[in-house]
């Protein structure tokens, strides 16, 4: 593969242009294509022409090579559609890799070659019925990716079927297919919505993200489809894969804005007090108290906030920001603070991530300074930051500035102004200007600082300073004639048009303060008028007009000269302005009534410009969206609605019990109607309870309350921690939100329920979660013993569970069937097969490596090392006649030549048929034959098995009576602890250690190599070094033999 | 969601394209190339570009642009995060992420991209799952493949994608079961001219290399978890248990992964391992200057500071420099004006010093900007925050794993601001 793709590349490099391929693929190469390029092209032609032949050959490897080259063409953007007929023939290939590549090709070109693409459809239709879920899924995936309108009905059918597939993975694929079909044929919308509705009800975490994505794309307005699934989505959220989380959170944000009332107080939006409440916990309580009187948060609203919060710790930055925006748009003001830290953390991430996060922070910081102020230093600009990052940080720092921190910020700004990045320095100057207008205390300081910058060497800096000073002076024009004079002096040296224009404007506006200088400036301008930029010309005309009005004696001629120049200017704006000004100020017979007011018009006091952030209006877009980033409405953007004044009916989210399985359902439904608020809480569980109910197939009780309890305990029993914890959170939700008391209640309730089962079911520390404080330590101590005691009930529960896909991450139960594991111990002991005396110099030894045999699983592998002790090479060592015993053997390959003093190890597989009968055969060399035999110890006929203590017991229970052999022995003194016993047993027999909860009982398990019968060994220590060895196996001959061997090993010192 | 992906090299050549929906003409990249032309540095290209019909979201990484084409509203971070995953995947599969590597493995990269997204929505982004479907190339395997004609595409049907533990594949077996954790801490700091800390914080990351058989359930606890101010986890970590008990409980992915990243907010209590005495000065008139930098160990907790490197961006007006280092060596690139002084190990007895003269271009005015020094360093066997791993417990499997923890402290963005003194030549 490597070589092929490189070939291609080298070709691409040579060709260097897209046309090369096209030319190459033409049926008749243009012979007129002479010149230097010709040789190149013709070779290319050859290279690609053989692709077709390769595809039509019989060899998979050739086809594969061809496909790889074709895919490489596609990947580089070359056109390979010519080969479609040849490729599509291979769609039914048996070779998986080839098939995959053909699929890739099909998806790429089917749209262009619709008729031919249809040839492949039947293959996919067949694959849709495959018993293997992955094949079904991949068939649906490719089928739906072929954008051919004719097959819409087929796709629709396939999607519908896949949506009710057993496998959650296939259902996930069908959710993806919905979007594809919708983009192909929007008319199918209604049918697709039905499928979406069905899939939304799915309880698998695999499906959730994908179906919500489909929902967002196909019918984002059908919010009613979400109601019933809202709580389930909230609860599943943590376990959904990260990309799904983003989509679900964004959707739920929109949902919540339509369904819940605003948690913000009337005056909340810009209320800084509520922020301080976040930092001062005392105040918080009273605030909460106040709030509660008027506003009660819907428990569902709370559920969403609570279940998304952990995701702030996600490694996926998109998830973090989506949670942040959810809190920003949905949480009460005093709770929004929790997102700050996470957002600041993201600033350590990649540059592009920083960019988006900073934009969002910029928008937030305008409304809520307090949130980010403690992290001000995180927004300090580093010299290594990219330009757009720098300006965003400036933006945020400016927004964060207040009386208290302004001096720190200004000091920071001072260093930025000196930056080599002049664009950034200019930005800093603007930022200083904004600070100066926003915080009146520092206006003077800033102004002085800016004036100092006027003597900066860099033009951009000076120009920007001029512009900013102009704006600042407007706000307080009085005692600043010095500055204006200073700027007039600088005027000759400044070339940046904007700055020149600004100075001219200042001169004109405050010409009365600088009566000496202004006319002189105008004189200079009159000289250079023609060569100025338009914006400067306009201001010159303005200056002339203003001076004419105030100081006509000195400037009359100059003004007229400038107006004449302006009259013939190339720019119509300037011509217009000139004409207007002339009419306005120069008295003549035609000038109307306006002339009288010229002074008032031109010299009216003007309001100072407001310097404000460019992020001011960004909050009209939902944070974290593309629209927010680009500050325009992106296509497909969904508006975030305002909070409803009155909350819509809450009960729509109650999940009705549709499944007929439940006996207690009717009673629940009834209470739901009679007592609305209470039932909503009760039914809170019913959603997640439902599935428990199904899985367990148990539990029916008349009162809702106790039924929900029993469900809860059953969920505990499954050590299904995610769910149980979320249930507990629901429960505390129910007891109405934030109050401490209720949450502790729910904790204690949980403790009760966890203690209910007779033994601790919580194998892993994770299972204890919310009651962890007390149980944590206990569980750790007992975990080794409890691991084996997990009830079989929970086992079956989890199996059933996996269909619905709601099982939590911790399902790592072992299978009931013992699994073969690696050997615990490999004895070094070698046995003589052939002594060198009898073997005429050839010596052979064998040993049992205790590895599963490669040749056949029923065989025991034997290693034979052959050594040549003669002084001449031995040739053709092989196994000859096997003798009459008929043991199945896998011989080693003939050793052609064994040099003197050399040795070689070969391996052999022997099926001993679970007996210790010796394997007799002849070891042959070129000249001689030696009869040898391998006599296996009984312990070598096993393979170790891993199983839990509990499985061990189960198996043991099946192998009593005849199948049990036992003996009491006196152990050697040093053999009374775990390790020596394990070692001794492992030396004798190839068995696996079964973890045991009791110190005095040691268990070992294995199965026989040939028939796979289970062999269980129990060594139970009694008082004073007595021990009871029990062996359970259906192999009634092997049992006693093993027992004898073990007895010998364990009694031996 | 994500419509197309283009890989573009710094010279603007699009050498790979992949479309997950209808094909988008590559001419759409022209808008991007235009923006790229405008930007001074590749880093300055705006990550989000708005064109009349499409939105272009790009990342720049390992000298490559990953440009995705979007047609409808989607959280930009969603795309950015995904693009970084693509880059990481390439890195993970082929050892590095570069143009040559992608061109060499064009077909495999294309197949991987095909698996990563379905209709523009992420399908399999976990490297464990991907590796089960398409095996990464190794030298041995490529030899075997050419000999036997077998392929890299997994012929077993994968299971990882189907389980609720998507990050771990089933049936992992190792003869040596081992779990290693590297606690790597980076100090971000800005020191001012006098050596006082303007800003300092510690960012840490726990990198894990777990090679354990079966389905181990691990619990990692710290001696002092309170130190951790803000954390983010690999999805395998059970957040609730962290909340309640401050332990990390997880079923690990197989192989290398980042278990958690954390932030230690100690503000000014961060121990700064080195101090820097420096002055860069220019004569008021004339075209000469002096540079004098000394680095010494400060709070190192008895450990040796290694791999010390000082990088200075000298002002653009510098013509040439003539320096001598008492330890290590320095390189200077006159094009970029980048001075790099590679010191190596820090010896407290004999402090390394770099001094000498700088000459400015004739007639150029005295640079007014203070070049800042960027320091790079490394301390083995020390987590500067004092974080310590307490213990690692394993549940769910019966064997005894080999466990190991390593601590490393490095400099992150470690800047020292300098004094630019002006010297009157005649005094």
């Amino acid at each position: 593969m490597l070589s092929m793709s490189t070939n291609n590349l080298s070709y691409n490099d040579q060709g260097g242009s897209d046309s090369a391929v096209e030319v190459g693929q033409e049926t008749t190469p243009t012979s007129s294509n002479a010149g230097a390029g010709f040789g190149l092209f013709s070779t290319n032609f050859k290279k690609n022409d053989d692709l077709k032949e390769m595809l039509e050959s019989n060899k998979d490897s050739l086809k594969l090579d061809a496909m790889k080259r074709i895919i490489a063409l596609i990947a580089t953007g070359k056109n390979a559609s010519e080969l479609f007929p040849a490729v599509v023939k291979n769609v039914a290939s048996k070779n998986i890799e080839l098939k995959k590549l053909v699929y890739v090709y099909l998806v790429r070109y089917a749209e262009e070659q619709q008729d031919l693409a249809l040839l492949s459809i039947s293959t996919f239709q067949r694959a849709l019925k495959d018993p293997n879920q992955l094949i079904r899924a991949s068939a649906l995936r490719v089928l739906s990716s072929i954008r051919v309108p004719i097959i819409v009905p087929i796709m629709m059918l396939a999607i519908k079927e896949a949506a009710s597939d057993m496998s959650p993975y296939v259902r996930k694929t069908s959710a993806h297919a919905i979007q594809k079909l919708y983009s192909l044929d929007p008319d199918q919308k209604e049918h697709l919505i039905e499928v979406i509705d069905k899939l939304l009800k799915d309880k698998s975490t695999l499906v959730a993200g994908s179906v919500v994505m489909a929902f967002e794309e196909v019918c984002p307005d059908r919010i009613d489809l979400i109601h019933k699934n809202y709580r389930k989505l909230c609860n599943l959220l943590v376990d959904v894969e990260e990309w799904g989380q983003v989509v679900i959170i964004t959707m739920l944000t929109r949902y919540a804005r339509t369904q819940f009332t605003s948690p913000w107080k009337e005056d909340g939006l810009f209320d800084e007090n509520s922020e301080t409440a976040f930092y001062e916990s005392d105040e918080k309580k009273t605030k909460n108290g106040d709030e509660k009187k008027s506003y009660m948060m819907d428990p569902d609203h709370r559920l969403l906030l609570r279940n998304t919060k952990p995701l702030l710790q996600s490694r996926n930055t998109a998830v973090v920001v989506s949670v942040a925006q959810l809190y920003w748009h949905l949480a009460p003001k005093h709770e929004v603070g929790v997102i700050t830290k996470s957002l600041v953390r993201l600033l350590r991430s990649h540059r592009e991530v920083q960019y988006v996060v900073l934009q969002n922070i910029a928008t937030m910081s305008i409304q809520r300074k307090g949130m980010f102020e403690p992290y001000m230093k995180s927004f300090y600009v580093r010299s290594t930051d990219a330009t757009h990052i720098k300006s965003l940080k400036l933006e945020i720092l400016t927004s964060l500035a207040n009386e208290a921190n302004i001096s720190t910020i200004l000091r920071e700004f001072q260093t930025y102004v000196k930056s080599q990045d002049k664009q950034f320095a200019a930005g800093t100057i603007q930022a200083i200007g904004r600070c100066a207008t926003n915080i009146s205390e520092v206006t003077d300081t800033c102004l002085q600082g800016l004036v100092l910058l006027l003597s900066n060497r860099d033009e951009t800096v000076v120009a920007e300073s001029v512009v900013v000073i102009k704006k600042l002076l407007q706000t307080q024009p009085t005692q600043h004639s010095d500055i204006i004079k200073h700027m007039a002096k600088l005027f000759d040296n400044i070339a940046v048009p904007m700055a020149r224009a600004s100075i001219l404007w200042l001169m004109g506006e405050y010409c009365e303060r600088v009566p000496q200088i202004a006319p002189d400036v105008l004189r200079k301008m009159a000289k250079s008028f023609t060569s100025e930029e338009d914006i400067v010309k306009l201001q010159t005309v303005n200056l002339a007009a203003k001076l004419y009005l105030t100081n006509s004696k000195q400037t009359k001629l100059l003004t007229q000269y400038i107006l004449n120049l302006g009259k013939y200017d190339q720019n119509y704006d300037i011509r217009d302005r000139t004409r207007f000004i002339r009419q306005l100020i120069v008295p003549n017979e035609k000038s109307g009534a306006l002339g009288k007011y010229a002074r008032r018009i031109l010299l009216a006091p003007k309001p100072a410009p407001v310097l404000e952030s460019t992020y001011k209006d960004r909050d009209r877009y939902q944070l974290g969206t593309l629209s927010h980033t680009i500050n325009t409405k992106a296509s497909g953007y969904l508006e975030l609605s305002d909070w409803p004044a009155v909350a819509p009916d809450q009960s729509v989210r109650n999940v009705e019990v549709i499944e007929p399985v439940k006996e207690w359902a009717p009673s629940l439904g009834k209470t739901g109607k009679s007592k609305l608020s209470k039932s909503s809480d009760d039914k809170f569980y019913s959603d997640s309870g439902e599935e428990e109910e199904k899985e367990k197939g148990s539990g029916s009780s008349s009162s809702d309350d106790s039924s929900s309890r029993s469900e809860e305990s059953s969920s505990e029993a499954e050590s299904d921690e995610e769910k149980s914890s979320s249930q507990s959170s629901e429960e505390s939700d129910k007891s109405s939100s934030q109050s401490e008391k209720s949450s502790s209640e729910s904790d204690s309730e949980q403790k009760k329920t966890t203690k209910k089962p007779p033994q601790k079911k919580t194998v892993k520390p994770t299972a204890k979660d919310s009651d962890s404080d007390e149980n944590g330590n206990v569980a750790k101590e007992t975990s080794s013993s409890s691991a084996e005691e997990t009830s079989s009930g929970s086992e079956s529960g989890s199996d059933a569970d996996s269909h619905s896909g709601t099982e939590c991450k911790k399902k790592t139960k072992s299978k009931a069937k013992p699994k073969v594991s690696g050997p615990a111990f490999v004895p070094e002991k070698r046995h003589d097969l052939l002594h060198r005396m009898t073997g005429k110099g050839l010596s052979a030894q064998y040993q049992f490596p205790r590895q599963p045999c490669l040749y056949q699983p029923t065989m025991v592998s034997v290693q034979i090392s052959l050594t040549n002790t003669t002084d001449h090479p031995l040739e053709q060592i092989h196994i000859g006649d096997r003798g009459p015993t008929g043991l199945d053997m896998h011989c080693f390959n003939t050793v052609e030549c064994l040099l003197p003093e050399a040795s070689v190890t070969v391996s052999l597989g022997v099926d001993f048929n679970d007996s210790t009968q010796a394997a007799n055969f002849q070891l042959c060399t070129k000249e001689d034959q030696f009869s040898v035999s391998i006599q296996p110890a009984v312990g070598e006929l096993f393979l170790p098995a891993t199983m839990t203590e509990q499985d061990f017991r189960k198996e043991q229970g099946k192998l009593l009576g005849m199948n049990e052999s036992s003996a009491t022995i006196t152990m050697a003194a040093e053999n009374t602890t775990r390790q020596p016993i394990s070692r001794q047993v492992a030396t004798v027999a190839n068995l696996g250690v079964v973890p045991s909860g009791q110190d005095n009982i040691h268990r070992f398990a294995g199965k026989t190599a040939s028939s796979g019968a289970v062999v269980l060994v129990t060594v139970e220590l009694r008082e004073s070094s007595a021990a009871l060895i029990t062996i359970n196996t259906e192999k009634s001959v092997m049992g006693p033999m093993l027992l004898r061997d073990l007895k010998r090993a364990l009694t031996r010192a | 969601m994500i419509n197309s992906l283009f890989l573009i090299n710094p010279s603007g050549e699009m050498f790979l394209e992949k479309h997950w929906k209808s094909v988008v003409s590559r001419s759409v990249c022209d808008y991007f190339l235009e923006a790229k032309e405008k930007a001074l540095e590749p880093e300055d290209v705006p990550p989000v570009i708005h064109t009349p019909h499409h939105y272009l979201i790009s990342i720049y990484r390992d000298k490559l642009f990953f440009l995705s084409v979007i047609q409808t509203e989607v959280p930009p971070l969603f795309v950015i995060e995904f693009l970084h995953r693509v880059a990481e995947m390439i890195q993970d599969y082929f050892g590095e992420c570069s143009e040559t590597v992608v061109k060499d493995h064009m077909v495999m990269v294309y197949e991987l991209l095909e698996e990563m997204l379905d209709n523009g929505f992420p399908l399999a982004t976990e490297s464990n799952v991907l590796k089960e479907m398409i095996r990464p190339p190794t030298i041995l395997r490529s030899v075997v493949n050419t000999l036997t004609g077998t392929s890299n595409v997994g012929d077993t049907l994968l299971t990882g994608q189907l389980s609720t533990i998507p990050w771990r594949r089933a049936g992992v077996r190792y003869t040596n079961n081992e779990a290693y954790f590297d606690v790597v801490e980076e100090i971000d700091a800005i020191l001012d001219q006098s050596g006082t800390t303007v800003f300092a914080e510690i960012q840490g990351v726990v990198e894990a290399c777990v090679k354990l058989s079966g389905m181990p359930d691990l619990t990692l606890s710290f001696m002092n978890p309170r130190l951790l101010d803000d954390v983010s986890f690999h999805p395998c970590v059970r957040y609730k248990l962290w909340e309640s008990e401050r332990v990390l409980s997880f079923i690990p992915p197989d192989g290398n992964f980042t278990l958690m990243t954390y932030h230690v907010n100690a503000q000014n209590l961060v121990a700064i391992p080195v101090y820097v005495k420096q002055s860069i000065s220019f004569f008021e008139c004339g075209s000469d200057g002096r540079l004098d930098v000394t680095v010494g160990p400060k709070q190192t907790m008895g450990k040796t500071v290694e791999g010390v490197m000082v990088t200075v961006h000298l002002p653009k007006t510098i013509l040439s420099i003539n320096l001598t280092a008492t330890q290590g060596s320095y390189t200077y690139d006159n094009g970029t004006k980048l001075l790099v002084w590679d010191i190596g190990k820090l010896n407290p007895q004999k402090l390394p010093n770099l001094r000498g003269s700088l000459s400015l271009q004739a007639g150029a005015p005295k640079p007014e900007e203070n070049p800042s020094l960027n320091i790079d360093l490394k301390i083995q066997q020390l987590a500067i925050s004092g974080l310590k791993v307490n213990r690692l417990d394993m549940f769910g499997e019966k064997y005894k794993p080999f466990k190991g923890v390593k601590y490393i402290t490095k400099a992150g963005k470690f800047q020292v601001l300098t004094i630019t003194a002006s010297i009157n030549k005649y005094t």
Side-chain angles (χ1 to χ4, degrees), chain A residues 539-592:
Chain A
Q539 288 308 326
T540 312
V541 174
N542 273 354
L543 174 66
K546 285 173 185 169
L547 281 176
Y548 183 86
L549 290 175
T550 52
N551 188 0
S552 61
K553 211 195 300 169
Q554 270 185 304
T555 59
K556 190 171 180 182
L557 286 171
L558 274 176
T559 307
Q560 258 159 10
Y561 175 66
I562 287 171
L563 289 178
N564 281 335
L565 284 178
K567 193 173 171 183
Y568 300 107
D569 199 90
Q570 283 188 320
N571 186 300
Y572 45 76
D573 272 346
I574 294 167
R575 293 198 300 273
D576 276 0
R577 178 73 61 91
T578 315
R579 201 168 298 126
F580 161 70
I581 293 286
R582 189 190 290 274
Q583 291 299 321
L584 191 63
I585 59 169
V586 182
N588 58 12
E589 66 281 3
K590 266 188 261 168
S591 70

Side-chain angles (χ1 to χ4, degrees), chain A residues 108-347:
Chain A
R108 172 68 179 73
Y109 284 117
E111 204 171 7
E112 298 170 21
Q113 308 261 345
Q114 306 212 347
D115 293 342
L116 287 168
L118 293 176
L119 295 175
S120 62
I121 303 298
S122 62
T123 318
F124 298 121
Q125 279 179 305
R126 224 174 303 132
L128 283 171
K129 308 275 186 233
D130 197 280
N132 186 312
Q133 47 174 337
L134 288 151
I135 293 179
R136 288 200 302 276
S138 104
L140 179 60
R141 202 180 145 195
V142 181
L143 180 69
S144 56
S145 300
I146 297 176
R147 288 170 287 268
V148 179
I150 303 174
I151 62 161
V152 164
I154 300 177
M155 274 167 79
M156 192 67 224
L157 207 68
I159 290 173
K160 273 186 177 159
E161 256 170 46
S164 34
D165 198 283
M166 284 276 285
S167 150
Y169 184 64
V170 176
R171 297 201 298 273
K172 182 189 177 76
T173 319
S174 78
H176 286 228
I178 290 174
Q179 305 165 51
K180 299 181 204 166
L181 180 53
Y182 180 66
S183 66
L184 186 65
D185 182 7
D187 294 342
Q188 301 292 322
K189 187 171 176 179
E190 287 313 311
H191 297 287
L192 289 173
I193 290 177
E194 281 168 32
V195 185
I196 290 176
D197 189 29
K198 184 183 169 73
L199 286 172
L200 275 172
K201 296 196 179 93
D202 204 297
K203 293 186 177 73
S204 164
T205 49
L206 267 176
V207 182
S210 304
V211 68
V212 171
M213 190 60 229
F215 170 84
E216 291 280 81
E217 207 131 295
V218 178
C219 53
D221 47 336
R222 288 291 302 276
I223 217 100
D224 55 295
L225 297 180
I226 303 298
H227 292 320
K228 291 273 179 276
N229 304 298
Y230 173 82
R231 286 170 196 161
K232 184 195 72 199
L233 285 174
C234 286
N235 289 328
L236 285 184
L237 198 53
V238 190
D239 289 333
V240 175
E241 37 85 42
E242 41 197 5
W243 309 107
Q245 284 171 348
V246 178
V247 178
I248 297 177
I249 290 171
T250 318
M251 186 275 290
L252 288 179
T253 311
R254 255 184 34 248
Y255 177 85
R257 280 292 274 265
T258 61
Q259 298 299 316
F260 307 127
T261 50
S262 166
W264 306 330
K265 283 168 285 169
E266 288 301 298
D267 54 336
L269 204 57
F270 294 97
D271 189 0
E272 290 281 314
N273 291 335
S274 58
E275 267 162 43
T276 50
F278 171 68
Y279 298 104
E280 295 159 37
S281 54
D282 294 0
E283 213 179 317
K284 182 183 172 184
K285 271 175 202 154
T286 58
K287 283 273 174 194
N288 280 350
D290 292 347
E291 235 171 304
K292 251 188 212 161
K293 276 173 213 159
S294 53
Y295 167 75
M296 277 286 277
M297 189 184 271
D298 188 308
D300 285 337
H301 190 171
R302 174 55 61 196
L303 176 75
L304 177 59
L305 292 177
R306 186 173 298 189
N307 283 0
T308 46
K309 193 177 161 197
L311 297 178
L312 282 172
Q313 253 61 46
S314 171
R315 68 165 171 177
N316 188 319
T317 55
V319 176
V320 177
V321 169
S322 67
V323 177
Q325 66 84 21
L326 181 132
Y327 263 74
W328 178 258
H329 291 295
L330 297 181
K333 289 291 170 190
H334 60 268
E335 288 178 34
V336 180
V338 296
I339 64 174
T340 315
K341 225 186 241 176
S342 305
L343 286 177
V344 172
R345 178 183 70 229
L346 298 188
L347 298 182

Side-chain angles (χ1 to χ4, degrees), chain A residues 383-640:
Chain A
S383 53
T384 46
D385 285 336
T387 314
H388 46 262
I389 303 280
K390 283 180 184 165
S391 55
L392 276 166
K393 283 186 170 175
L394 264 186
E395 179 68 45
I396 294 169
L397 282 175
T398 316
S399 297
L400 293 182
N402 59 23
E403 284 85 350
N405 60 24
I406 184 66
S407 55
T408 332
I409 290 183
L410 282 181
R411 210 175 315 130
E412 190 66 22
F413 281 176
Q414 265 168 11
T415 50
Y416 299 168
V417 169
K418 292 178 197 153
S419 162
Q420 286 183 345
D421 182 348
K422 292 306 164 199
Q423 215 49 44
F424 169 58
T428 309
I429 293 165
Q430 282 177 4
I432 294 174
R434 254 178 70 197
C435 288
T437 43
N438 294 345
I439 302 160
S440 53
E441 281 90 338
V442 292
T443 314
D444 284 344
T445 337
C446 289
L447 204 51
Q448 279 160 21
L450 290 172
V451 171
L452 283 181
L453 287 178
L454 289 178
S455 46
N456 195 293
R457 265 204 313 270
D458 189 86
E459 198 178 52
T460 4
V461 173
V462 177
E464 200 62 44
S465 310
V466 169
V467 175
V468 173
I469 288 173
K470 178 207 129 193
K471 288 179 181 163
L472 283 182
L473 285 183
Q474 249 181 298
T475 56
Q476 34 180 202
T478 45
Q479 327 93 11
H480 291 305
S481 52
D482 289 355
I483 296 175
I484 299 173
K485 275 179 202 156
H486 184 74
M487 285 165 78
K489 265 183 230 158
L490 284 172
F491 187 72
D492 293 340
N493 301 323
I494 295 174
V496 179
M498 189 60 208
R500 285 176 79 85
S502 295
I503 295 179
L504 290 177
W505 185 87
L506 272 178
M507 291 292 149
E509 192 65 21
Y510 306 113
C511 53
E512 280 158 326
R513 293 179 203 284
V514 282
Q516 309 294 318
I517 299 169
D520 195 48
V521 171
L522 186 67
R523 181 185 60 79
K524 282 184 195 160
M525 282 315 297
K527 252 194 218 165
S528 63
F529 187 84
T530 46
S531 56
E532 295 289 347
E533 287 282 325
D534 292 345
I535 181 173
V536 184
K537 286 178 182 169
L538 282 178
Q539 288 308 326
T540 312
V541 174
N542 273 354
L543 174 66
K546 285 173 185 169
L547 281 176
Y548 183 86
L549 290 175
T550 52
N551 188 0
S552 61
K553 211 195 300 169
Q554 270 185 304
T555 59
K556 190 171 180 182
L557 286 171
L558 274 176
T559 307
Q560 258 159 10
Y561 175 66
I562 287 171
L563 289 178
N564 281 335
L565 284 178
K567 193 173 171 183
Y568 300 107
D569 199 90
Q570 283 188 320
N571 186 300
Y572 45 76
D573 272 346
I574 294 167
R575 293 198 300 273
D576 276 0
R577 178 73 61 91
T578 315
R579 201 168 298 126
F580 161 70
I581 293 286
R582 189 190 290 274
Q583 291 299 321
L584 191 63
I585 59 169
V586 182
N588 58 12
E589 66 281 3
K590 266 188 261 168
S591 70
L594 269 183
K596 277 184 270 174
Y597 304 104
R599 204 184 165 88
R600 276 168 71 184
I601 290 170
L602 286 176
L603 291 174
K606 296 167 186 70
V610 185
L611 301 174
E612 60 183 18
S613 166
T614 45
Y615 284 83
K616 187 122 183 79
D617 297 327
R618 289 262 176 124
D619 57 338
R620 64 199 148 129
Y621 298 112
Q622 186 174 354
L623 290 185
T625 58
L626 182 63
S627 304
H628 176 265
T629 299
I630 56 176
N631 201 16
T632 20
K633 198 165 164 178
S635 69
Y637 173 74
L638 300 164
E639 292 282 349
L640 203 58

Side-chain angles (χ1 to χ4, degrees), chain B residues 174-310:
Chain B
Y174 288 102
T175 37
N176 299 320
N177 288 297
E178 31 188 37
Y180 298 106
F181 295 88
D182 288 2
V183 179
V184 183
E185 295 197 336
E186 290 192 358
I187 310 169
D188 284 4
I190 301 177
L191 306 184
D192 73 0
Q193 290 89 333
S194 56
T196 45
T197 312
V198 178
F199 169 80
E201 60 179 18
I202 299 170
Q203 304 288 345
V205 52
V206 180
E207 298 279 2
C209 175
V210 178
K211 293 183 174 171
L212 297 176
S213 312
M215 275 286 170
D217 194 325
L218 303 180
T219 304
L220 183 76
S221 61
F222 295 102
M223 302 280 256
N224 37 10
R226 303 280 156 210
L227 272 178
L228 307 179
D229 179 46
D230 182 48
V231 285
S232 80
F233 299 123
H234 189 275
C236 69
V237 176
R238 289 159 195 142
Y239 178 73
K240 295 214 163 103
L241 220 67
W242 169 258
E243 278 284 88
S244 57
E245 291 183 48
R246 299 271 146 184
V247 295
L248 297 176
S249 162
F250 55 98
I251 294 174
D254 186 35
N256 295 314
F257 64 99
T258 302
L259 179 62
M260 74 181 288
T261 59
Y262 60 88
H263 173 101
V264 177
N265 195 358
Q267 285 301 354
N268 297 325
L269 297 171
V270 175
I272 303 293
V274 293
Y275 70 87
V276 180
K277 267 197 270 180
Q278 38 69 32
S279 80
I280 297 176
S281 48
F282 296 98
F283 297 112
E284 193 57 60
C285 39
S287 55
D288 281 321
R290 271 202 297 244
L291 178 143
D292 189 337
V293 182
T294 309
V295 183
K298 203 172 166 191
Q299 294 157 288
T300 60
M301 326 275 176
K303 304 275 198 267
T304 327
V305 183
E306 299 170 8
V308 182
M309 187 132 79
V310 179

Side-chain angles (χ1 to χ4, degrees), chain A residues 1031-1044:
Chain A
I1031 293 172
N1032 302 73
T1033 176
E1034 57 181 83
K1035 294 282 170 189
S1036 46
V1037 184
M1038 297 174 93
M1041 288 172 82
L1042 180 59
L1043 185 63
R1044 191 191 61 214

